[in-house]
């Protein structure tokens, strides 16, 4: 598992310190900001911390040499999802204090769930130590190439997986059609700008000359 | 290597997708009679696609088997899906005009959904399977909620969407587990990589169960059926007709192929699940429908019951099972086309019939319609001279050949129970008093032609059964020889 390029670039030169230093730096910030997401009083702040956490995780992906995942994480999660959250939080007037009212009531349930998860994790940990059975027993191991993984993905995405790529495009088209169908409505009484008519306005039809008599005025 | 243009892989799918986009644009830029022109064009496009699918049948895609496959089983189900879509567009156009739901996107969404079904029936890979399912169901979610001003329609759309997304998630998790433990997403490769095993390991079984749960949701087999009655009732009736006729067929084809192709050697692992789904569906389909007052809910439960019978063919895992399923699905589609054509054209006092009691005394006012309903109901109940009997007959024969005697006996028992509510409709039509003497009909000439053909096939099946039965046995022989 040593092939990713960036890891190689740092590692063989013996600069292990820089690698571990950046790993611990980014992961500490990621974990801390994740904690802040759930503990911040102001919900706008917690969304901002969420974005910080995403950015740091994408930096961790870069360290692993998975730069495509890092880009996707920034584009999709930071660019779309988090901004959407931010919009929702700022536009809707949700009283988060009220949402937290039942916290103590649900605490035992949450603790139970956490305990079960912890138990499961520890079981996996110990059973792996005991029986040495790995998940990818039958898998053909991924072949690491010398290119960046963006290039690798691009190479197969538009050749081998071309049909599937087109199909996913069609799915997105259907999603677009669907959202337009379900939300677009023809409202009556909307004053629309019709540029064609505006351009075609003629002085003959729209401007009327009137003689105004002195001291009498005229009706418009 | 010389290639004819018709020999291109997925040529029908390609034509369908390009055509659907073209029809979308035509609908967008025409101003007069948009709905009728787009729906007529969609019907023409689907007919062309069906013909191309049939012409393309003898081409082997040895190189492309990674994602898609061709066999006569797939060919049959693809053509059936196309026919079902054509029928459901034709029979519903008058209804849409009547309730003034003239949105040209409806036929376009039906086209995209049909495209998804063609893809998922022909898929030979977990990825193409998932994409097909998503394309199909995304269009269906929108169709369920298409009537925006109706609260019920919106509710059914949301319900369908949430539960469908959940089931897709479960299915995807199963796919990832199978990929993790076999190292491949291709059906053939999964088959070869697990064929060396004596028993499936836990991870693969988990993946298998999760995928089966997802698929059972799509066919609405019993523990995962909850959405069906609500969605059927809430969606506009024409959309319900499409839901009942087409997507079930594709999901049934997929669940058959998924169980028998990659996991064919390990039928012991999944046959219990299928038997459970089958018994549960037959039970609920026959018991729960008794208490219904709405025709659409009744038909929803009836379709759940039919799925139970179709799954018997899968549980018996033999050639007779495939043959029975092919015959049953074909007859199921015909019966649903017939009954929905009638529901979509029968009105009382400017409202379409919704309740079963609305039909009381129908025979005195509209004798032709009531005889059509009666024939369809008798066929659904599986009463001998009609086609539905033969569907059940061949399914039960398959169960007996596989020595699943209890399954066949339970099937017959539940079929007797379900005969109650089918016959009750006939009783209401023929022996109850005519309450409202002014039934109106709103049926186009094309729709009445479709009704005529489906009723003709249901009644005349007994005279020429070999036509369909031969297709069924050919398909089943080919299925087990490959």
């Amino acid at each position: 598992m040593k092939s990713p390029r960036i890891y190689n670039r740092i590692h063989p030169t013996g600069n292990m310190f820089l690698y571990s230093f950046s790993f611990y730096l980014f992961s500490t910030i990621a974990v801390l900001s994740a904690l802040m997401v759930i503990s911040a009083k102001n919900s706008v702040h917690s969304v901002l911390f969420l974005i910080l956490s995403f950015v740091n995780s994408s930096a961790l992906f870069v360290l692993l040499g998975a730069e495509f995942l890092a880009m996707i994480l920034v584009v999709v999660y930071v660019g779309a999802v988090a901004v959407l959250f931010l919009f929702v939080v700022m536009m809707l007037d949700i009283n988060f204090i009220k949402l937290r009212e039942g916290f103590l009531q649900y605490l035992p349930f949450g603790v139970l769930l956490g305990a079960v998860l912890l138990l499961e994790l520890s079981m996996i940990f110990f059973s792996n130590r005991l029986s040495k059975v790995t998940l990818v027993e039958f898998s053909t191991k991924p072949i690491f190439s010398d290119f960046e993984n963006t290039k690798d993905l691009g190479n197969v995405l538009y050749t081998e997986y071309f049909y599937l790529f087109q199909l996913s495009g069609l799915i997105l088209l259907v999603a677009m059609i669907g959202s337009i169908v379900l939300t677009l409505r023809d409202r009556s009484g909307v004053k629309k700008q019709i540029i064609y008519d505006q351009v075609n306005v003629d002085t003959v039809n729209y401007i009327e000359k009137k003689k105004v008599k002195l001291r009498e005025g005229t009706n418009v | 290597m010389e290639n004819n243009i018709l020999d291109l892989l997925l040529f029908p799918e390609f034509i369908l997708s390009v055509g659907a986009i073209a029809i979308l644009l035509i609908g967008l830029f025409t101003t007069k009679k948009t709905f009728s022109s787009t729906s007529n064009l969609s019907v023409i496009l689907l007919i062309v696609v069906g013909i191309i699918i049939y012409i393309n049948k003898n081409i082997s895609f040895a190189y492309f088997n990674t994602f898609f496959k061709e066999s006569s089983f797939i060919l049959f189900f693809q053509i059936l899906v196309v026919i079902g879509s054509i029928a459901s567009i034709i029979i519903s156009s008058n209804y849409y005009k009547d309730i003034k739901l003239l949105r040209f996107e409806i036929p376009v969404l039906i086209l995209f959904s049909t495209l998804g079904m063609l893809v998922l029936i022909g898929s030979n890979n977990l990825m193409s399977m998932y994409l097909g399912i998503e394309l199909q169901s995304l269009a269906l979610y929108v169709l369920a909620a298409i009537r925006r001003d109706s609260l019920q329609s919106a509710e059914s759309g949301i319900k369908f969407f949430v539960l469908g997304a959940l089931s897709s998630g479960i299915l995807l998790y199963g796919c990832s587990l199978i990929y993790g433990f076999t190292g491949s997403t291709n059906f053939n490769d999964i088959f070869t990589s697990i064929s060396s095993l004596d028993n499936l390991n836990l991870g693969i079984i988990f993946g298998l169960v999760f995928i089966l749960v997802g698929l059972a949701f799509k066919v609405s087999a019993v523990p995962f059926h909850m959405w069906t009655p609500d969605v059927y009732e809430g969606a506009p009736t024409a959309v319900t007709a499409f839901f009942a006729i087409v997507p079930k067929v594709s999901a049934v084809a997929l669940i058959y192929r998924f169980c028998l192709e990659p996991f064919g050697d390990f039928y012991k692992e999944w046959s219990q699940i299928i038997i459970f789904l089958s018994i549960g569906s037959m039970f609920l389909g026959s018991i729960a429908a008794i208490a219904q007052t709405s025709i659409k809910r009744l038909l929803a439960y009836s379709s759940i019951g039919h799925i139970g019978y179709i799954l018997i063919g899968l549980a018996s895992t033999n050639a007779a099972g495939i043959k029975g399923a092919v015959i049953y699905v074909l007859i199921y589609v015909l019966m649903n086309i017939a009954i929905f054509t009638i529901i979509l054209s029968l009105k009382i006092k400017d409202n379409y019939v919704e309740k079963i009691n609305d039909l009381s005394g129908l025979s005195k006012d509209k004798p032709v319609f009531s005889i059509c309903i009666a024939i369809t109901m008798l066929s659904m109940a599986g009463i001998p001279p009609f086609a539905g009997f033969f569907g059940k007959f061949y399914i039960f024969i398959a169960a007996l050949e596989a020595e699943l005697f209890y399954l066949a006996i339970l099937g017959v028992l539940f079929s007797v129970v379900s005969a109650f509510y089918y016959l009750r409709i006939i009783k209401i039509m023929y022996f109850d008093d005519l309450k409202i003497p002014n039934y109106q009909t709103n049926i186009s000439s094309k729709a009445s032609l479709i009704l005529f053909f489906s009723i003709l096939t249901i009644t005349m099946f007994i005279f020429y059964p070999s036509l369909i039965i031969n297709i069924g046995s050919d398909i089943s022989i080919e299925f087990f020889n490959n």
Side-chain angles (χ1 to χ4, degrees):
Chain A
M1 291 287 280
K2 64 175 171 72
S3 261
R5 260 171 60 126
I6 295 170
Y7 183 79
N8 264 358
R9 214 181 288 154
I10 301 167
H11 207 191
T13 51
N15 210 340
M16 191 63 196
F17 170 73
L18 189 60
Y19 185 81
S20 0
F21 175 73
S22 20
F23 172 76
Y24 284 115
L25 177 74
F26 289 131
S27 45
T28 320
I29 298 177
V31 171
L32 285 182
S33 51
L35 274 177
M36 287 305 286
V37 172
I38 49 172
S39 57
K41 278 263 169 12
N42 189 331
S43 45
V44 176
H45 290 176
S46 63
V47 175
L48 290 175
F49 274 116
L50 189 68
I51 294 174
L52 183 64
S53 168
F54 282 144
V55 170
N56 277 292
S57 344
S58 86
L60 288 178
F61 275 127
V62 171
L63 280 184
L64 278 175
E67 85 281 348
F68 184 74
L69 267 182
M71 287 193 292
I72 289 294
L73 199 72
V74 171
V75 171
V76 175
Y77 283 91
V78 179
V81 178
V83 172
L84 191 76
F85 275 170
L86 208 56
F87 264 103
V88 170
V89 166
M90 287 162 99
M91 307 276 263
L92 298 182
D93 188 25
I94 302 170
N95 194 348
F96 285 95
I97 309 295
K98 252 190 181 164
L99 279 180
R100 286 184 192 163
E101 263 176 5
F103 182 70
L104 275 180
Q105 197 183 334
Y106 296 116
L107 191 64
F109 190 64
V111 169
L112 186 74
L113 272 183
V116 168
L117 274 180
L118 193 69
L119 191 73
E120 281 177 349
L121 279 177
S122 56
M123 271 166 70
I124 290 172
F125 185 72
F126 288 116
S127 68
N128 255 2
R129 282 289 158 80
L130 289 176
S131 63
K132 298 269 178 195
V133 174
T134 47
L135 184 72
V136 280
E137 208 174 343
F138 305 104
S139 168
T140 44
K141 295 233 163 50
I143 306 149
F144 291 109
S145 67
D146 289 334
F147 297 116
E148 295 91 348
N149 49 41
T150 315
K151 208 168 191 173
D152 281 340
L153 274 173
N155 271 339
V156 290
L157 194 60
Y158 301 104
T159 52
E160 266 182 63
Y161 295 87
F162 177 72
Y163 286 109
L164 302 188
F165 183 71
Q166 294 293 325
L167 265 179
S168 3
L170 282 176
I171 292 176
L172 290 181
L173 177 68
V174 170
M176 208 162 82
I177 297 172
S179 51
I180 292 173
V181 168
L182 293 180
T183 52
L184 183 75
R185 62 189 79 205
D186 301 324
R187 278 182 297 180
S188 55
V190 180
K191 285 171 183 160
K192 272 186 189 166
Q193 187 180 19
I194 303 166
I195 296 171
Y196 183 79
D197 289 353
Q198 280 183 337
V199 173
N200 273 343
V201 166
D202 199 350
T203 46
V204 182
N205 299 329
Y206 283 82
I207 297 179
E208 197 182 343
K209 287 182 179 171
K210 282 188 175 176
K211 287 258 179 192
V212 184
K213 282 182 181 170
L214 203 62
R215 291 185 190 280
E216 282 177 26
T218 181
N219 291 326
V220 181
Chain B
M1 200 173 82
E2 244 177 78
N3 261 333
N4 191 350
I5 180 125
L6 286 176
D7 294 358
L8 282 174
L9 174 72
L10 294 185
F11 189 66
E13 281 84 348
F14 174 73
I15 291 284
L16 184 54
S17 52
V18 171
I21 294 170
I23 290 174
L24 179 68
L25 288 178
I26 290 170
L28 208 56
F29 288 111
T30 50
T31 44
K32 282 179 194 165
K33 289 193 171 177
T34 318
F35 181 78
S36 53
S37 60
T38 45
S39 61
N40 287 339
L41 281 173
S42 317
V43 169
I44 294 169
L45 177 67
L46 282 173
I47 291 172
V48 170
V49 167
I51 292 170
I52 294 173
I53 292 175
Y54 188 71
I55 293 172
N56 259 8
K57 67 179 173 180
N58 288 324
I59 301 153
S60 64
F61 300 119
Y63 174 69
F64 289 106
N65 257 350
T66 43
F67 295 120
F68 299 100
K69 206 183 149 182
E70 282 287 313
S71 71
S72 58
F73 182 81
I74 293 170
L75 177 85
F76 172 81
F77 277 95
Q78 283 184 332
I79 288 182
L80 197 60
V81 160
V82 170
I83 290 173
S85 303
I86 294 172
S88 59
I89 292 178
I90 291 176
I91 63 175
S92 55
S93 63
N94 259 25
Y95 175 86
Y96 285 127
K97 275 172 203 158
D98 208 37
I99 63 165
K100 301 216 165 42
L101 192 67
L102 292 172
R103 307 187 66 103
F104 70 88
E105 293 93 343
I106 294 172
V108 174
L109 284 171
I110 288 182
L111 287 180
F112 277 117
S113 166
T114 312
L115 174 67
M117 291 177 220
L118 295 186
V119 167
L120 84 88
I121 293 173
S123 63
N124 199 34
N125 192 309
L126 294 174
M127 281 190 275
S128 48
M129 176 183 97
Y130 176 72
L131 286 176
I133 289 177
E134 277 309 287
L135 184 56
Q136 172 214 359
S137 7
L138 202 57
L140 294 184
Y141 305 146
V142 180
L143 280 176
I146 196 90
R147 199 171 178 181
R148 245 185 1 215
D149 48 354
S150 141
L151 200 64
Q152 264 196 325
S153 173
E155 185 203 325
S156 78
I158 289 282
K159 204 173 253 175
F160 194 22
F161 174 67
V162 170
L163 290 175
L166 182 74
S167 80
S168 287
I170 292 172
L171 185 119
L172 206 54
Y173 187 34
C175 292
S176 76
L177 279 173
I178 286 188
Y179 177 61
F181 280 90
T182 60
S184 173
T185 54
N186 181 273
F187 283 2
N188 301 358
D189 292 348
I190 292 173
F191 180 80
T192 38
S193 74
I194 62 173
S195 58
S196 57
L197 305 174
D198 296 330
N199 288 309
L200 291 183
N201 62 37
L202 203 60
I204 300 180
I205 290 180
F206 254 85
L208 177 65
V209 170
F210 276 23
I211 292 184
L212 280 183
V213 166
L215 292 181
F217 187 89
K218 302 291 176 203
V219 295
S220 72
V222 145
F224 314 103
H225 67 283
M226 269 80 93
W227 56 277
T228 322
D230 295 335
V231 172
Y232 272 42
E233 197 187 17
T237 314
V239 174
T240 313
F242 181 66
F243 280 8
I245 296 168
V246 194
K248 292 278 175 71
V249 175
S250 64
V252 163
L254 185 64
I255 201 169
Y256 265 75
R257 286 198 51 226
F258 179 75
C259 287
L260 293 174
E261 284 176 11
F263 293 98
D265 288 348
F266 293 92
Y267 69 91
K268 283 206 177 74
E269 311 283 356
W270 51 259
S271 60
Q272 306 161 6
I273 303 172
I274 298 291
I275 288 171
F276 174 75
L277 292 177
S278 159
I279 292 177
S281 310
M282 287 189 297
F283 173 76
L284 197 95
S286 55
I287 303 293
I290 291 174
Q292 302 305 322
T293 54
S294 153
I295 298 178
K296 277 151 87 180
R297 284 188 87 87
L298 181 114
L299 285 173
Y301 282 109
S302 135
S303 86
I304 293 172
H306 285 304
I307 290 298
Y309 294 108
I310 292 170
L311 289 180
I312 292 181
L314 179 54
S316 45
T317 55
N318 50 17
I322 303 276
K323 181 182 163 188
V326 164
I327 297 167
Y328 202 111
V329 170
L330 179 64
I331 292 166
Y332 167 81
V333 167
L334 285 173
M335 291 186 302
N336 267 307
I337 289 175
I339 192 72
F340 273 104
T341 315
I342 297 167
I343 296 174
L344 284 171
S345 52
L346 205 57
K347 293 171 76 175
I348 12 170
K349 291 182 182 166
D350 297 332
N351 284 318
Y352 283 89
V353 287
E354 293 264 319
K355 298 264 173 281
I356 295 173
N357 284 336
D358 290 350
L359 294 173
S360 73
L362 183 73
S363 63
K364 283 142 201 150
D365 200 26
K366 296 268 181 267
V368 181
F369 270 81
S370 40
I371 197 109
C372 288
I373 297 180
I375 288 173
T376 318
M377 285 300 144
L378 287 174
S379 172
M380 279 191 174
I383 309 272
F386 301 109
F389 166 73
F390 292 94
K392 282 184 178 146
F393 177 72
Y394 284 104
I395 284 284
F396 291 147
I397 282 193
L400 292 180
E401 272 185 26
E403 303 195 333
L404 293 166
F405 299 115
Y406 64 98
L407 204 54
I409 291 168
L410 281 175
V412 173
L413 286 180
F414 289 133
S415 161
V416 171
V417 175
S418 68
F420 167 76
Y421 59 81
Y422 293 126
L423 294 180
R424 192 175 61 140
I425 293 182
I426 299 177
K427 177 238 163 197
I428 287 172
M429 283 192 310
Y430 279 89
F431 301 107
D432 281 12
D433 292 333
L434 185 63
K435 281 180 196 154
I436 310 133
N438 52 348
Y439 283 101
Q440 297 148 1
T441 50
N442 173 27
I443 185 164
S444 67
S445 52
K446 285 182 222 157
S448 51
L449 198 67
I450 285 178
L451 178 63
F452 173 72
F453 270 112
S454 46
I455 293 290
L456 191 74
T457 324
I458 292 169
T459 40
M460 292 296 148
F461 186 84
I462 187 165
F463 298 111
Y464 300 101
S466 55
L467 273 179
I468 293 168
I469 290 167
N470 284 347
I471 295 176
S473 43
D474 287 351
I475 289 171
S476 61
I477 289 164
E478 201 210 298
F479 195 93
F480 274 96
N481 282 348
N482 285 1

